[in-house]
Amino acid sequence: MPVSDAELALLAVSHDIVSIGMQADEVRRARHGTRTTFVRVAQIAADPGAPILALPAAGEMCITGTPASRAAAIERVRQVATAAGNIPVSAFSLADLEQLAVAEGIGLRVLLEDLRAAGLELIADAPIDRLRDARRSIEEVNIAGLVLARLTIHQDRSPDPLSVFKAVATLQRAVGVVRAFAPLPRAIDAARPTTGYEDVKRVALARIVADSVPSIQVDWSLYGPKLAQVALTVGADDVDRVSPEDDQTAGPRRAPLEEIRRNIRAAGLEPVERNGRFDIVRPFESPRVMSSAAGGGAAHDERAR
Amino acid sequence: MSIEQIAAKVRSGERVRAEEALDLYRHAPTPVLGRLADSVRARKHPGGIVTYIIDRNVNYTNVCVAKCNFCAFYRPVGSAEGYVLGFEELFRKIDETIAVGGVQLLLQGGHNPDLPLTWYEDLFRAIKGRYPAFKLHALSPPEVIHLSRLSQLPVADIIDRLKAAGLDSIPGGGAEILVDRVRRLLHCYGKATADEWLDVMRQAHRAGLRTTATMMYGTVETDEERLEHLLRLRALQDETGGFTAFITWSYQPSHTELGGVEATGVDYLRTLAIARIVLDNFDNLQASWVTQGGKVGQLSLAYGANDMGSVMIEENVVRAAGAAYCMDEVEIVRNIEDAGFVPMRRNMHYEQLGDPMFRQRDVPRMLELATARAAGEATIPAELRLYPARSRLLKAQRSSLESQDKT
Ligand code: SF4
């Protein structure tokens, strides 16, 4: 659905978030229908000495944090890849790897190839507002035989996010390998958190502007179930970083897996579990008719949304 | 009737019937519900003003004999964690409230058998004596019924006496779902049946008090029962016109006997929207940011809400059940303006009091809501001794203290 620059500028300043959301939802449904993917991600510290908890339910083992050196990065990837078995391993921010390559006096591609040889499949994230040369670095990821798990925004929260979304669209036209884009900033300012309107508008505009990126993603652990669920109704189609620790101590209905499925269904959508490779690991299961006692309320009719 | 036909009815300002409301609630896409609710809000509040109140939400006691199974707040008589706030503690809280521009105390608590009607009367008189202009929005219908049973006086007399002592208005708590099947399952039928809850409000309205109405959804009720609740409120509002506002929130399950899960954010927005559509004779709908968080709280403004509720300053009940969100006046105003509305302070009667307080004078930022008492604080207010004990436990404690005094 092509939208002119003038229309986009109007949407960006509008307070009519319901209409913006509807427009984005149309784009999302044209591409994905009601299918909504989610991935359970195990997060592992970058320090080679830190323990690695084996979580077989994870669809992605993600090494987080900044590696101290090239050798430490390679060593950590090797350790995690060994423990991961068939679970895809992702690691590091591409922006940190750009800096590490400079600090080590090597090319980024050399570093990426080293990591791949150690067992890495995916670069965990590429924050577009922190990358020195987004296009070139993402191409290097591709050439090194790695996959970019998600394009992200680190901190940008300008009231007009259009320019960064247009940059994402341009980037995707050039590289064509961005599988998922998370438009809500990763760094949250506790003293001045983003508002619900800001978040909804960002997700919706990202879907409309970056229409060549397959998935618009929302982070479950960072933004919480309520905002993440609303995001799914205004353009997002993928939920990132659901906990793989299926702790049922608070009862099976409150365990993360059931929670994410319940929230997706209550938004009138179909939950589909994927892994870090975007392979479906658990196909859509026919939803049980939810009773209000399960907090479903008027969520019986999935077509209603 | 199709969804589009029902929607056209709402747009033209016609009243929806029960089955039409159910159809909308179940089958209308969420954005359609949102737009309809927003059109009703805009019709009632064409100036784009969104109000809020600076008041403090104080729970004077957590001791309760009602034992609702969805409640994580109460403690039984004799519990080491039970508390009653003293008059001096309450005065301190009022001083703090006035310091940040507050105009009212929202005062509610458990059904404590050892607090007789005279305790409330003395408290209200003492507050009004010290702070004549300060408002008391106090005692939800089940608390009024509890006092009626405790003192064996009719509800109307209790309301008259409390009003004479300084009560300004009654909060709509304890409504849960106004359907007795649900109330039995929630163990709250005993504290007030649906008819009893509504009758307290009827009597209060007749006595010239304004009240709010609430709905807690997401426990054991059906969609039909949620709508029955709304329709019963609408009928009473037709009769008395005494409700100033409606507030709905989702059941908070943590640490409760009932357990279960919380209804989702989208369910909240749909429920708020249908309430705005059905309650066509209510002027004001509040956003429940305290249960939904600031983000969904703000999104409520697109789904029918015209009021951001209270800055609260203090909160104990929802926190006990697992939710701990905080928004001070600065945050509330930022959220209202960011959504394209004009913020305005109000009182309980929804009279506009003026622009944000923090723009007029320095007000300390509040990044966390206070609690009734600091952790470990367990003093028993001295004045409690002046009131006769009703529970067996307190009677026994008192007589043992008296015999110690004698020896
Ligand atoms: S909800 Fe109120 S009446 Fe019921 S147990 Fe809790 S404090 Fe008591």
Side-chain angles (χ1 to χ4, degrees), chain B residues 248-273:
Chain B
T248 187
W249 62 82
S250 53
Y251 159 59
Q252 305 292 306
S254 292
H255 314 300
T256 64
E257 184 192 330
L258 181 64
V261 291
E262 189 189 346
T264 68
V266 168
D267 203 19
Y268 172 75
L269 294 174
R270 293 181 66 83
T271 304
L272 177 72

Side-chain angles (χ1 to χ4, degrees), chain A residues 51-64:
Chain A
I52 302 169
L53 198 63
L55 291 165
E60 179 180 335
M61 301 265 279
C62 180
I63 305 173
T64 59

Side-chain angles (χ1 to χ4, degrees), chain A residues 15-19 22 25 157 188 190-200 223 225-227 229-230 233 250 253-254 259 262-263 266-267 291-301 303-305, chain B residues 25-32 34-35 218-223 226 250 253-254 260-267 269-270 291-292 295-296 298-299 301-303 325 331 334-335 337-341 365:
Chain A
H15 289 112
D16 184 1
I17 48 159
V18 173
S19 295
M22 282 169 92
D25 190 49
R157 52 171 305 181
I188 294 178
R192 200 177 180 280
T194 53
T195 66
Y197 269 60
E198 274 179 75
D199 292 348
V200 161
Y223 279 86
K226 287 190 202 267
L227 197 276
Q229 188 203 30
V230 172
T233 67
R253 288 193 303 162
R254 299 185 75 176
E259 265 293 281
R262 185 172 71 88
N263 271 271
S291 72
S292 293
H300 305 177
D301 185 348
R303 288 153 304 162
R305 280 43 172 187
Chain B
Y25 193 34
R26 283 201 165 150
H27 305 301
T30 305
V32 170
R35 276 187 159 172
T219 55
V220 298
E221 79 286 352
T222 61
D223 296 341
R226 290 183 192 179
S250 53
S254 292
V261 291
E262 189 189 346
T264 68
V266 168
D267 203 19
L269 294 174
R270 293 181 66 83
T291 59
Q292 303 304 309
K295 292 184 187 221
V296 174
Q298 186 204 30
L299 291 171
L301 300 178
Y303 286 80
Y325 299 108
E331 263 305 284
R334 183 170 77 89
N335 275 271
E337 290 178 338
D338 174 71
F341 295 99
R365 289 296 313 265

Side-chain angles (χ1 to χ4, degrees), chain A residues 20-90:
Chain A
I20 301 170
M22 282 169 92
Q23 206 165 322
D25 190 49
E26 237 175 80
V27 180
R28 178 243 205 259
R29 281 175 194 260
R31 193 182 258 278
H32 300 282
T34 56
R35 191 180 118 126
T36 302
T37 45
F38 67 92
V39 59
R40 292 195 273 174
V41 180
Q43 300 193 67
I44 298 142
D47 172 12
I52 302 169
L53 198 63
L55 291 165
E60 179 180 335
M61 301 265 279
C62 180
I63 305 173
T64 59
T66 309
S69 65
R70 174 188 187 184
I74 292 168
E75 174 56 17
R76 191 54 169 166
V77 167
R78 193 167 286 129
Q79 290 171 355
V80 175
T82 306
N86 192 38
I87 301 172
V89 176
S90 67

